[in-house]
Amino acid sequence: MSRDAATPSSAAPLREGRLWKKGGARKGGRRNWTERRFVLTPHALQYFKGAAKKGELVLSALVAVAPAEASVDVGRKSGRASIFYVATQRFRFYMSAPNDGDRDLWCAAIAGAANLTVGGG
């Protein structure tokens, strides 16, 4: 786990790294993939563009974390691999890791922090 000099959260990160995230499907929202720095804390999964926090998912709201099938539409058209998602009751948030090993480590870390089972939901 690499750690930047200026950690954006006061809580010690459980995991940090660069992932690609799929843009939201909000009305007028972008649906492309953008690279972001992610920080998993004991309470949230945060993502940043440079030093600016762009968003976070509160872990208590998560109901599932799992690898996504390679054939899912989110990856097939983009050429992305090693895709996984975290889900709340309302939406799925898709991310792509550099490789399957990193994807599995992120899934396990998020599931552990959120008291979920990988693949549940």
Side-chain angles (χ1 to χ4, degrees):
M1 168 171 74
S2 65
R3 188 169 177 175
D4 294 346
T7 300
S9 173
S10 59
L14 302 174
R15 185 165 178 81
E16 295 186 58
R18 298 199 70 79
L19 299 169
W20 290 83
K21 67 173 268 313
K22 186 173 186 312
R26 297 181 313 254
K27 188 173 183 177
R30 298 177 68 170
R31 294 177 184 240
N32 59 333
W33 291 86
T34 53
E35 187 176 19
R36 295 286 184 252
R37 184 169 62 93
F38 282 78
V39 177
L40 177 63
T41 71
H43 305 289
L45 178 61
Q46 304 169 332
Y47 55 99
F48 299 81
K49 180 178 181 181
K53 184 163 98 174
K54 299 300 282 184
E56 75 177 10
L57 295 168
V58 177
L59 297 181
S60 61
L62 299 183
V63 296
V65 57
E69 294 295 323
S71 62
V72 296
D73 190 46
V74 295
R76 183 176 57 226
K77 292 180 182 176
S78 69
R80 292 267 154 232
S82 304
I83 298 171
F84 66 100
Y85 67 87
V86 294
T88 66
Q89 290 291 337
R90 299 183 144 223
F91 71 96
R92 283 188 179 188
F93 187 85
Y94 288 95
M95 291 159 280
S96 175
N99 56 59
D100 289 350
D102 280 347
R103 177 201 61 203
D104 295 344
L105 289 172
W106 273 102
C107 285
I110 295 166
N115 293 316
L116 297 171
T117 301
V118 174

